[in-house]
Amino acid sequence: MISQIFILSTKGDHLIYKDFRGEESKDSINGFYEMVTALSGDQPPVVMSYKGLHFIHARQGGLYWVASTKTNPSPFTIIEFLNRLAALTKDYCGSLSEKSVRMNFALIYELLDEMVDFGYIQTTSTDILKNFIQTEAVSSKPFSLFDLSNVGLFGAETQQSKVAPSVAASRPIMSSRGEQGGKNEIFVDVIERLSVVIGSKGVLMKADIQGEIRIKCFLPTCSEMRIGLNEELSIGKSQLKGYSSAVRVDECRFHQAVKLDEFDTFRILKVCPSQGEQTVMQYQLCDELPCAPPFQLFPSVEKDYVNRVLIFLKLRCDLPPKSTALNVSITVPVPKGSTSMSQELSSPDQTAELQPKNKALLWEIPRFPGGAQLSALFKVDVPGLSSASLLEVGPVSMSFELPKQTCTGLQIRFLRLSPTQTGLSQRWVRYVTHSDSYTIRI
Amino acid sequence: MPYFGSEETVKELKRALSNPNVHADRLRYKNYISKVIRYMTQGLDVSALFMDMVKASATVDIAQKKLVYLYMCTYASDKPDLALLAINTLRKDCADPNPMVRGLALRNMCNFRMPGMTEYIEQPIVAGLRDKASYVRRVAVLGCAKMHSLQPNTDIGRAKYSVYLNYYTLRDPSLCVLNCFRLNTGLMSDFVFSCVFSFRMKDLDSWAQSEVLTFLLRYRPRSDDQLFDILSLLDSFLQSAHAHVTVATLRLFLQLASAHPAVQADALLRTSAPLLATCGAASRELRFAGLCHVQQVMRSQPGLFGTHYKRFFCGYSEPTYIKFRKMEILVELVNDENVSLVLEELRSYCTDVSPELAQAAIAAIGRIARTYSEKCLDILTGLLALKQDHITSAVIQTFRDLVWFCPQSTAAVCQTVEACVDSPQDSEGKQALLWLLGEHGDQISSAPYVMEGYIDGLKTELSSAVKMELLTASVKMFLCRPAETQDMLGRLLHYCIEEESDVCVRDRALLCYRLLQRGVEETRKVVTGPKSDPSMSVLTGRQEEPISQWTATFNTLGPLSGRDLCPQTAVISAADQPSSSAEKELLPDDTDEEISLSLGSPLSHETFEKMWLDLEILHRQTLGSPRPRTAPDTLQAALQLVKIQTLAFTPGDTVPWKAYIYTRSTGTLILAELLQGDQQAPGSDESLVVSVKQQPVNQHAIRGFVSILKSVLQTLNVDSS
């Protein structure tokens, strides 16, 4: 049973506060904030107790989403509920930030009122909620000229409009009366998170992929949709279909609304998406990478003069030539006490800086085309350098984003709405791979 | 958060809300109302606006109604008289043709937490239970629960509602039914059981599923056949897409099938994949919860996750608290095949920017070193070369523990310590180094000289713990290498006895001095103990615990907060624990569990009397033994021994004889009266009757208390006869 739910900003401002059972006073918010800010880094903040009251919180969108309870409930339920609350807020407000929560507080109170009663979770389904929500979302998105770039000259259909802008899905789902509301769009995203450890000799030591297929639906009502996956998709270690380059995942789990009667033979998921965002399928692949790891690093670390370390990094992107990695950032730990750094980068759009506080240097590459190779030379001054200090250089960690790319090779063959669907609807399929953790040892 | 000029703001809002022009402009009016709610959320006291807000509730705009109701619910308990004014509007809304308005009004009316509210809400609730819209019925059922919590002894409930509940369980969609469950956890067990399965679990949403699963924890199957029926019905939920359903199902399986270890093992095996998936979930908090539960499972089945050790490698961007858990798990998962890979991974954390993480990683390597000492010692020695204070200190501390647990590594450690040029700077590290020097001074040739450095720098040493360690270590060193140590030991003792201001250090020095006066052999007997204790490593090494050890806290907050919170059943509030007789049927009888009594702060006679009069008698029982024929003091002392305080008793052999006693146990206060009736009166025997009152109610504690009391009295009777 949930006693209270509140949302705090990082500065401790009260954005939302709702008491369901009248068991505790409002002081508990400040109690929570004091505790959470006083914790040191190694103390787990997820569950905290304060005068017989337990706080469970999740961080989403830079905000604290907190539930307090006097009972001893399942932490999984509460955490997933808080995450769901945040996701619903995102659905209804368009984006998740302090500003959007502030602007839409009436809407969020309305949501909470329907979702939880007397501390019991009633429903979190948009299908049910949409009947009760009356408040219109206030979009916090400022007017931008980029929005106009999609409109072709004289209203002609341009090539650009074949690609959905990346912000297209971040708008409120309920702007039915708004001018944008006519857009009956449906987005199907295949999102994979990659976590890789590459050993010092370039050997792949660990590779995990966690993936999910997410639907974001703006249609007010949607009849059955059929999502066709790769026919050669095989699940589990034993089940291999043919000898061709099968797409394989270790295991997958589906949303309970997904009908799987055609999945076994045709790999078709049938689902009636409700408004808003939902994950229809989660899958994972462990200890194996069907493609080459997207990046290979060839480092060399030397001691130059008395107090200087030379770090030469050669980074190769092993993606297919047509694809690109975006927002690549490389963090290289440097010896303690590093004072300054000089760098030689191969192009002007790259940046590098030394962060003495984190004793690391950060190299950022905004775009990295597949098949390319970039190199950089860093000279780091370290007073009192010893040869042992070179051991402190490494392991290198990277973060990046691979649009239009899935590492498992999972593809969506088709996306069909049943023919009874009236009105034109636009369907988008997007693929993206994020780096959850990409570590290369030196 | 106090706001400057808050009064000014409230006045301004009041002016605006009572302005007829604002009333005329609906949008503007609503804007002001939202402003009030915004201030309320921020913590400003806007209760002065109650009247104006009540007026605002009479509107057709549902969104505005919702805001106003939110306001009213917040301040109703502060302004009960004004809140009564709003009730008429609310009751009118309860009869609105729109079911949404009806439900909204009913829900909020039940949320007014003020005394005397029940008489106004009883009728709308009863009407709501018969409403044709399921939304309203749902709200009404929870309304019963709210009313019950407002006025626990209210009569509105049980008998009357169980009829409705029965009725709706059979025909209503899941949401309404589930609320019935929440309200009436004391329904007959077989009835509940059939209900759970009469509406199909699959049709519920995931929240309801996990709630039903938690609810079923209280159910005790009649037979094995029934048990397996339940388990096979719920089997598919072990693989649910929602982690919370999976974990709730797992807990149910573990608890119900406690007599069937094979079933338990199978359930654990099948949920290991979903559990691992939560350990890699996108949400950090979920990840953490997953890791904590994996740790719990590993207490019984350490091998379950062995092949998946790579899943517990730390991600670069993960917060420290997750990395800590992962390292703890990694240490447990080490075996012959993966040890080198795990060590390589741990080695890379040792140079982390966070000193806590680096030290924890070093300590983790130290744990592994107890089994795989050679590889680990190489890594630890390599780390010393980095010459960073926090790393050196952690490595030396790890060495100390390693030598203690695993004596065969002593020679290698001593060699390394000898070669290590720089010394730790923090007091923990210094103590560890001094201990090593003192204990194994015979194997470290430079030991006396290192120690001399510390003795010379004694004046600048701040920590008294280091000084005491230095004293002990020097005496030990003197025993094995007297020639080199004698002089400096003299200086050290002199300084510590004559100039040291810390009493503990001075006493330790005096102790050492007097010990040495008794002669070397005497000293050796006292100071030198065992140099290591290999038997300890057997103790610290994991033993497989039975699964039942942790199922009670599985899927609760306990594993996440690092300590066991109060068990779930003890904290069900009065509203959810309506009929204790039915409850008993559902709850497992846990009398075998020990309860502990404590004395706590003494109660005054007045307080006791007041509480005794206020509380109801919860339990009355004949103890089956007469009053012990001992002196009153003996009785009092005996009770005191088992932490029961005697407040008063009637003197001597007066009839009827009475005694008032009290005690505390796990957050509850137990008051009791012992009574021995008139022996001559017909129908009474010699036996004592105990009447127990308690606040707050905890049946389990009462049972424990009575059994303790019984045994004390029996013992006394045996003694006196």
Side-chain angles (χ1 to χ4, degrees):
Chain A
M1 271 177 300
I2 298 166
S3 187
Q4 303 159 316
I5 284 183
F6 45 94
I7 305 175
L8 299 185
S9 72
T10 29
K11 295 194 290 289
D13 296 339
H14 308 174
L15 303 180
I16 296 287
Y17 166 79
K18 194 157 167 63
D19 186 354
F20 293 102
R21 293 181 68 88
E23 294 170 329
E24 276 301 316
S25 72
K26 216 174 164 176
D27 304 336
S28 58
I29 306 184
N30 293 330
F32 166 79
Y33 188 70
E34 275 163 29
M35 282 166 74
V36 83
T37 44
L39 283 181
S40 69
D42 50 334
Q43 282 166 298
V46 180
V47 174
M48 293 184 297
S49 300
Y50 171 79
K51 294 184 189 161
L53 195 66
H54 310 304
F55 295 112
I56 302 143
H57 87 274
R59 292 289 303 261
Q60 293 269 353
L63 303 169
Y64 294 102
W65 303 73
V66 195
S68 74
T69 172
K70 291 201 126 176
T71 56
N72 195 358
S74 154
F76 290 96
T77 311
I78 305 283
I79 293 170
E80 284 202 48
F81 172 74
L82 290 173
N83 286 336
R84 179 72 189 139
L85 174 64
L88 274 173
T89 310
K90 194 180 170 199
D91 278 352
Y92 276 91
C93 306
S95 64
L96 201 60
S97 66
E98 187 179 335
K99 196 176 163 201
S100 68
V101 171
R102 263 184 208 280
M103 287 170 82
N104 292 297
F105 75 97
L107 176 67
I108 297 171
Y109 273 126
E110 225 184 324
L111 276 171
L112 268 178
D113 201 31
E114 298 298 339
M115 283 163 76
V116 185
D117 193 9
F118 202 47
Y120 299 107
I121 301 168
Q122 298 289 311
T123 180
T124 58
S125 129
T126 36
D127 283 336
I128 299 172
L129 285 173
K130 72 180 173 197
N131 302 319
F132 299 107
I133 303 305
Q134 302 283 324
T135 316
E136 280 274 321
V138 188
S139 185
S140 59
K141 200 172 65 181
F143 173 78
S144 152
L145 274 178
F146 288 110
D147 293 345
L148 297 177
S149 61
N150 272 346
V151 182
L153 200 57
F154 309 118
E157 187 90 340
T158 59
Q159 197 60 37
Q160 274 174 319
S161 65
K162 291 270 187 274
V163 180
S166 62
V167 291
S170 57
R171 61 186 169 90
I173 51 170
M174 287 272 289
S175 57
S176 50
R177 276 149 280 183
E179 60 282 351
Q180 267 200 327
K183 261 193 186 175
N184 280 337
E185 287 177 312
I186 190 156
F187 293 84
V188 177
D189 296 341
V190 182
I191 301 160
E192 293 189 347
R193 288 180 296 120
L194 188 65
S195 86
V196 168
V197 177
I198 296 176
S200 46
K201 293 179 190 74
V203 193
L204 192 63
M205 300 193 57
K206 170 200 168 178
D208 282 345
I209 302 168
Q210 307 261 351
E212 57 188 31
I213 299 178
R214 222 186 266 169
I215 298 184
K216 181 143 189 177
C217 176
F218 288 98
L219 308 174
T221 52
C222 187
S223 59
E224 193 173 75
M225 189 168 80
R226 290 151 61 88
I227 305 171
L229 307 179
N230 316 36
E231 262 176 345
E232 68 274 19
L233 174 71
S234 65
I235 295 159
K237 294 230 190 301
S238 53
Q239 193 192 359
L240 267 175
K241 281 192 173 180
Y243 299 98
S244 61
S245 56
V247 177
R248 195 180 73 79
V249 296
D250 273 348
E251 62 163 327
C252 50
R253 290 181 294 161
F254 302 93
H255 191 275
Q256 57 180 2
V258 178
K259 287 195 213 104
L260 295 171
D261 45 340
E262 288 184 55
F263 184 72
D264 278 344
T265 40
F266 303 112
R267 299 295 182 215
I268 292 171
L269 303 173
K270 291 199 283 190
V271 62
C272 297
S274 46
Q275 218 172 14
E277 197 170 86
Q278 59 223 295
T279 305
V280 285
M281 172 175 161
Q282 291 163 286
Y283 57 92
Q284 55 192 29
L285 179 63
C286 306
D287 296 332
E288 186 183 327
L289 212 53
C291 55
F295 291 98
Q296 278 288 5
L297 183 75
F298 305 97
S300 83
V301 181
E302 280 166 35
K303 201 171 149 189
D304 185 14
Y305 299 115
V306 190
N307 287 330
R308 181 183 272 186
V309 184
L310 278 186
I311 303 173
F312 182 70
L313 300 177
K314 199 155 71 175
L315 190 63
R316 193 180 70 209
C317 179
D318 286 338
L319 293 173
K322 272 184 186 167
S323 37
T324 317
L326 297 181
N327 303 327
V328 183
S329 77
I330 300 117
T331 311
V332 188
V334 294
K336 197 181 179 185
S338 303
T339 49
S340 60
M341 181 184 79
S342 66
Q343 68 223 32
E344 286 168 30
L345 303 173
S346 52
S347 78
D349 57 341
Q350 301 171 24
T351 56
E353 62 169 330
L354 182 72
Q355 296 174 325
K357 214 178 114 224
N358 300 332
K359 51 172 203 159
L361 70 85
L362 185 69
W363 176 25
E364 284 182 322
I365 307 159
R367 278 179 69 84
F368 201 153
Q373 182 161 308
L374 294 178
S375 55
L377 178 66
F378 303 100
K379 297 173 183 164
V380 186
D381 293 315
V382 190
L385 181 77
S386 69
S387 55
S389 303
L390 291 183
L391 289 174
E392 283 186 74
V393 181
V396 175
S397 45
M398 294 181 65
S399 72
F400 50 84
E401 199 176 298
L402 311 175
K404 296 184 249 173
Q405 186 85 25
T406 54
C407 283
T408 49
L410 189 83
Q411 299 279 331
I412 290 181
R413 275 186 297 144
F414 60 82
L415 197 63
R416 265 181 226 138
L417 294 167
S418 62
T420 51
Q421 191 74 30
T422 51
L424 190 79
S425 58
Q426 279 177 300
R427 290 158 292 164
W428 304 103
V429 178
R430 304 185 294 186
Y431 301 96
V432 68
T433 299
H434 293 287
S435 62
D436 190 27
S437 162
Y438 196 93
T439 312
I440 304 168
R441 301 226 183 93
I442 290 184
Chain B
M1 206 180 306
Y3 276 80
F4 295 111
S6 57
E7 277 176 37
E8 210 42 52
T9 324
V10 174
K11 263 185 207 155
E12 204 173 290
L13 282 170
K14 200 171 176 65
R15 223 173 297 135
L17 284 173
S18 50
N19 183 349
N21 290 334
V22 175
H23 281 256
D25 185 347
R26 268 186 41 206
L27 210 63
R28 232 173 113 196
Y29 194 35
K30 195 173 157 186
N31 261 341
Y32 275 111
I33 291 170
S34 341
K35 223 177 234 176
V36 173
I37 305 292
R38 192 187 296 263
Y39 284 122
M40 185 181 89
T41 308
Q42 284 170 358
L44 188 70
D45 182 14
V46 287
S47 59
L49 302 169
F50 205 96
M51 264 325 287
D52 304 282
M53 293 297 274
V54 169
K55 278 182 204 150
S57 68
T59 169
V60 286
D61 182 356
I62 297 183
Q64 178 176 335
K65 251 187 212 302
K66 286 184 177 175
L67 289 177
V68 175
Y69 287 161
L70 177 69
Y71 174 92
M72 286 196 215
C73 292
T74 314
Y75 290 114
S77 48
D78 298 344
K79 306 233 163 187
D81 41 338
L82 288 176
L84 287 182
L85 295 173
I87 282 179
N88 255 334
T89 326
L90 282 163
R91 288 185 67 146
K92 212 168 71 209
D93 279 351
C94 284
D96 197 275
N98 183 350
M100 206 202 302
V101 176
R102 286 203 301 270
L104 183 67
L106 184 59
R107 179 167 59 223
N108 285 289
M109 200 151 70
C110 298
N111 277 344
F112 280 23
R113 284 180 275 270
M114 51 186 206
M117 196 60 210
T118 38
E119 55 179 300
Y120 300 102
I121 56 177
E122 177 164 359
Q123 194 271 325
I125 287 179
V126 173
L129 282 171
R130 289 205 200 88
D131 202 287
K132 55 184 183 296
S134 79
Y135 177 64
V136 184
R137 288 200 298 269
R138 191 180 97 195
V139 170
V141 172
L142 272 185
C144 300
K146 289 176 193 170
M147 199 164 78
H148 190 82
S149 78
L150 270 179
Q151 212 169 343
N153 49 359
T154 176
D155 179 43
I156 184 165
R158 306 301 127 221
K160 203 153 129 203
Y161 285 126
S162 58
V163 180
Y164 294 125
L165 295 177
N166 264 327
Y167 175 61
Y168 290 120
T169 337
L170 295 178
R171 64 162 252 210
D172 241 13
S174 53
L175 271 176
C176 186
V177 176
L178 207 71
N179 280 346
C180 293
F181 274 131
R182 288 158 182 164
L183 168 70
N184 206 335
T185 47
L187 283 174
M188 299 293 285
S189 54
D190 267 343
F191 172 66
V192 170
F193 176 66
S194 63
C195 287
V196 169
F197 296 103
S198 67
F199 65 86
R200 294 172 303 273
M201 281 281 282
K202 280 202 162 53
D203 296 341
L204 299 175
D205 68 350
S206 66
W207 314 112
Q209 283 172 354
S210 66
E211 194 152 355
V212 169
L213 290 166
T214 316
F215 182 80
L216 276 178
L217 284 176
R218 307 179 185 189
Y219 185 74
R220 314 195 82 190
R222 294 282 141 93
S223 64
D224 269 5
D225 286 347
Q226 198 188 20
L227 167 77
F228 289 116
D229 278 349
I230 300 179
L231 296 188
S232 51
L233 270 169
L234 298 175
D235 199 62
S236 60
F237 293 98
L238 282 175
Q239 306 280 346
S240 162
H242 298 275
H244 60 106
V245 179
T246 312
V247 178
T249 318
L250 177 60
R251 183 177 178 197
L252 184 71
F253 268 62
L254 294 180
Q255 210 143 314
L256 285 188
S258 50
H260 306 273
V263 176
Q264 287 182 324
D266 180 56
L268 281 173
L269 184 68
R270 288 173 51 204
T271 42
S272 65
L275 256 183
L276 275 173
T278 49
C279 294
S283 148
R284 290 168 170 188
E285 290 77 17
L286 212 55
R287 238 183 240 200
F288 179 69
L291 288 171
C292 294
H293 283 84
V294 162
Q295 269 187 314
Q296 266 204 326
V297 172
M298 275 170 46
R299 282 164 60 177
S300 301
Q301 300 227 333
L304 194 58
F305 300 99
T307 47
H308 303 286
Y309 67 98
K310 282 183 183 173
R311 303 288 283 278
F312 301 104
F313 283 6
C314 300
Y316 156 68
S317 52
E318 280 174 329
T320 322
Y321 63 90
I322 288 185
K323 290 183 180 171
F324 267 67
R325 290 278 166 167
K326 285 194 166 174
M327 282 197 285
E328 282 171 25
I329 294 174
L330 272 180
V331 169
E332 299 286 330
L333 290 181
V334 166
N335 58 30
D336 289 351
E337 280 125 51
N338 61 25
V339 61
S340 54
L341 283 174
V342 170
L343 281 177
E344 201 176 319
E345 181 70 17
L346 285 173
R347 160 71 185 82
S348 69
Y349 308 150
C350 293
T351 47
D352 195 272
V353 63
S354 146
E356 291 93 11
L357 185 71
Q359 292 184 332
I362 293 168
I365 295 179
R367 283 287 307 280
I368 297 175
R370 291 176 199 173
T371 336
Y372 302 94
S373 38
E374 210 170 299
K375 287 179 183 136
C376 299
L377 277 174
D378 286 349
I379 294 179
L380 292 172
T381 313
L383 286 171
L384 280 178
L386 289 176
K387 294 189 181 167
Q388 291 193 17
D389 291 341
H390 67 275
I391 293 181
T392 313
S393 163
V395 171
I396 298 281
Q397 288 173 56
T398 309
F399 278 158
R400 175 193 54 192
D401 298 343
L402 185 62
V403 166
W404 181 254
F405 287 118
C406 160
Q408 62 273 25
S409 60
T410 311
V413 167
C414 290
Q415 229 171 4
T416 318
V417 171
E418 174 138 36
C420 169
V421 269
D422 57 7
S423 48
Q425 296 302 311
D426 61 329
S427 63
E428 284 288 318
K430 281 181 191 169
Q431 285 176 58
L433 180 64
L434 287 171
W435 187 88
L436 276 172
L437 292 176
E439 204 65 51
H440 299 285
D442 47 340
Q443 296 183 47
I444 306 172
S445 59
S446 65
Y449 310 103
V450 177
M451 204 170 277
E452 188 159 26
Y454 278 97
I455 292 172
D456 291 342
L458 200 61
K459 281 192 179 118
T460 52
E461 179 57 56
L462 297 170
S463 155
S464 53
V466 173
K467 289 178 191 167
M468 300 220 281
E469 189 61 59
L470 182 59
L471 276 166
T472 319
S474 312
V475 174
K476 283 182 194 162
M477 178 85 81
F478 173 70
L479 293 176
C480 64
R481 298 166 75 166
E484 291 153 293
T485 327
Q486 187 172 19
D487 179 50
M488 61 170 123
L489 181 63
R491 271 186 287 143
L492 175 68
L493 286 174
H494 181 264
Y495 175 84
C496 286
I497 292 168
E498 296 291 326
E499 293 178 47
E500 178 58 45
S501 55
D502 191 304
V503 184
C504 295
V505 178
R506 206 166 54 211
D507 282 356
R508 175 72 65 91
L510 282 169
L511 176 74
C512 294
Y513 180 69
R514 291 188 195 120
L515 207 55
L516 287 167
Q517 276 181 326
R518 305 275 303 174
V520 174
E521 279 317 305
E522 286 291 313
T523 317
R524 197 183 301 277
K525 255 188 244 166
V526 174
V527 173
T528 49
K531 281 178 187 283
S532 69
D533 192 355
S535 65
M536 286 292 281
S537 65
V538 180
L539 280 179
T540 50
R542 272 306 162 105
Q543 287 156 318
E544 291 181 23
E545 288 178 41
I547 289 173
S548 60
Q549 203 84 32
W550 46 266
T551 38
T553 56
F554 194 72
N555 197 22
T556 67
L557 300 181
L560 272 79
S561 61
R563 61 206 152 81
D564 291 348
L565 298 168
C566 40
Q568 195 160 24
T569 42
V571 283
I572 296 171
S573 66
D576 302 286
Q577 201 171 18
S579 57
S580 53
S581 59
E583 191 83 313
K584 238 183 250 164
E585 228 179 303
L586 283 168
L587 282 173
D589 223 9
D590 41 10
T591 34
D592 48 344
E593 209 178 310
E594 278 294 313
I595 71 149
S596 64
L597 303 177
S598 59
L599 283 174
S601 56
L603 282 183
S604 71
H605 285 76
E606 288 81 0
T607 340
F608 186 93
E609 191 178 1
K610 191 173 170 298
M611 289 177 85
W612 186 259
L613 294 175
D614 286 350
L615 295 172
E616 305 260 315
I617 289 181
L618 285 172
H619 184 84
R620 175 168 285 162
Q621 187 181 350
T622 313
L623 289 175
S625 56
R627 174 160 77 93
R629 300 281 156 200
T630 48
D633 289 349
T634 326
L635 177 62
Q636 192 166 359
L639 288 173
Q640 187 106 40
L641 264 182
V642 293
K643 303 273 170 29
I644 299 176
Q645 187 76 42
T646 320
L647 190 85
F649 43 82
T650 43
D653 286 309
T654 42
V655 171
W657 183 84
K658 275 185 183 178
Y660 288 97
I661 55 183
Y662 67 87
T663 184
R664 286 184 174 82
S665 168
T666 52
T668 119
L669 178 67
I670 301 174
L671 311 177
E673 178 199 63
L674 294 174
L675 172 77
Q676 185 170 40
D678 191 355
Q679 283 164 30
Q680 274 70 46
S684 76
D685 55 11
E686 273 211 321
S687 183
L688 276 170
V689 176
V690 63
S691 319
V692 185
K693 301 186 178 188
Q694 192 187 30
Q695 186 185 31
V697 178
N698 180 346
Q699 287 288 350
H700 176 52
I702 292 187
R703 282 199 294 273
F705 166 73
V706 171
S707 74
I708 290 175
L709 191 62
K710 250 185 189 169
S711 59
V712 170
L713 293 173
Q714 268 158 12
T715 322
L716 282 176
N717 278 323
V718 169
D719 283 356
S720 57
S721 69

